[in-house]
Amino acid sequence: MTLSKPAVLLLGSVAALSLAACSQPEQTSPTTPVPTTSPAAAPFAWPATLRVVGDGYPTAGAPCRRIGETAATVDYLDDSADLVGCPASDQAATTALGGTSVGQVDGVALISVPRRAPQVTEAADARVPGTTFNAVASIGCRGPGLPSSGQCQAGVVRRADRSADVTLMLEDGKGRTLSFDAQGQTRDPGARSTMTGEDTVTVMIGQERYDVPTAFLWGG
């Protein structure tokens, strides 16, 4: 069969179009990246060798726990202190307690934390109205992030054994608490304190310096 010239031209056009279609790269739809999230850290598994008390120490939700008496802890208990356990891998939580490391059991660091004496009674030392402080005052403070005036507002809680807690009320809304024993020595990890003259305790924490009058700590 002989094709007419128009038919030949039509078939040629169809073939050319087919070849052109085949030569085009395959179009793919853009893929939307799937966001990835890090899996949540598994909660710490407290070992069965320890008797865990409460849901956090010193406050609820904290990573450490008060530890009761078992065969693994009987040698570490002290009537004047709390035995506290923290995950041994959490160095920050362990250090923040400020107690004495006494051992480690199954991945738990054991810390003996002295119990705090109660606050002096209001009859013995009145409180500032609307607060738990026995006194408020400005104390000397210098260092990065501290007021350029060299003064910080502070409140003190005085305790029955002459220890004291001084809370600094900083401009950024954050607070820092300095704890002192009955001799005026700081209990805070990483801090050191010295007497400056006869009536001021100077506390150094890194580049920060705080000058706390002894009259503010103990009254009088």
Side-chain angles (χ1 to χ4, degrees):
M1 181 178 65
T2 303
L3 297 175
S4 64
K5 185 175 182 180
V8 171
L9 291 175
L10 178 60
L11 289 174
S13 299
V14 170
L17 289 173
S18 299
L19 289 172
C22 292
S23 64
Q24 293 297 319
E26 182 180 356
Q27 299 296 318
T28 59
S29 300
T31 58
T32 302
V34 178
T36 59
T37 56
S38 300
F44 182 75
W46 293 91
T49 49
L50 298 178
R51 185 166 69 86
V52 177
V53 180
D55 59 357
Y57 186 98
T59 58
C64 303
R65 301 288 189 274
R66 192 162 65 85
I67 302 298
E69 182 176 348
T70 64
T73 63
V74 64
D75 292 335
Y76 303 130
L77 296 174
D78 184 338
D79 290 341
S80 64
D82 289 330
L83 183 63
V84 181
C86 302
S89 59
D90 194 339
Q91 291 293 325
T94 302
T95 301
L97 289 176
T100 301
S101 176
V102 294
Q104 189 173 132
V105 174
D106 294 338
V108 176
L110 298 177
I111 312 296
S112 181
V113 180
R115 295 194 183 108
R116 308 306 306 277
Q119 186 173 3
V120 294
T121 65
E122 291 193 69
D125 193 340
R127 298 179 188 177
V128 176
T131 76
T132 59
F133 299 129
N134 296 107
V136 294
S138 292
I139 66 171
C141 61
R142 293 193 295 277
L146 296 176
S148 58
S149 64
Q151 295 289 308
C152 291
Q153 282 295 112
V156 61
V157 171
R158 298 171 183 145
R159 300 188 179 278
D161 63 352
R162 280 179 58 84
S163 64
D165 298 318
V166 174
T167 298
L168 303 163
M169 295 166 278
L170 304 178
E171 292 178 344
D172 60 4
K174 297 180 180 178
R176 177 194 282 280
T177 299
L178 306 175
S179 295
F180 298 87
D181 64 19
Q183 286 72 49
Q185 296 297 306
T186 181
R187 291 169 162 165
D188 299 279
R192 57 187 177 87
S193 57
T194 57
M195 289 296 298
T196 304
E198 297 180 355
D199 58 2
T200 302
V201 179
T202 295
V203 178
M204 299 296 299
I205 306 175
Q207 297 180 341
E208 301 172 15
R209 170 176 171 154
Y210 303 94
D211 295 308
V212 185
T214 54
F216 184 57
L217 286 178
W218 299 310

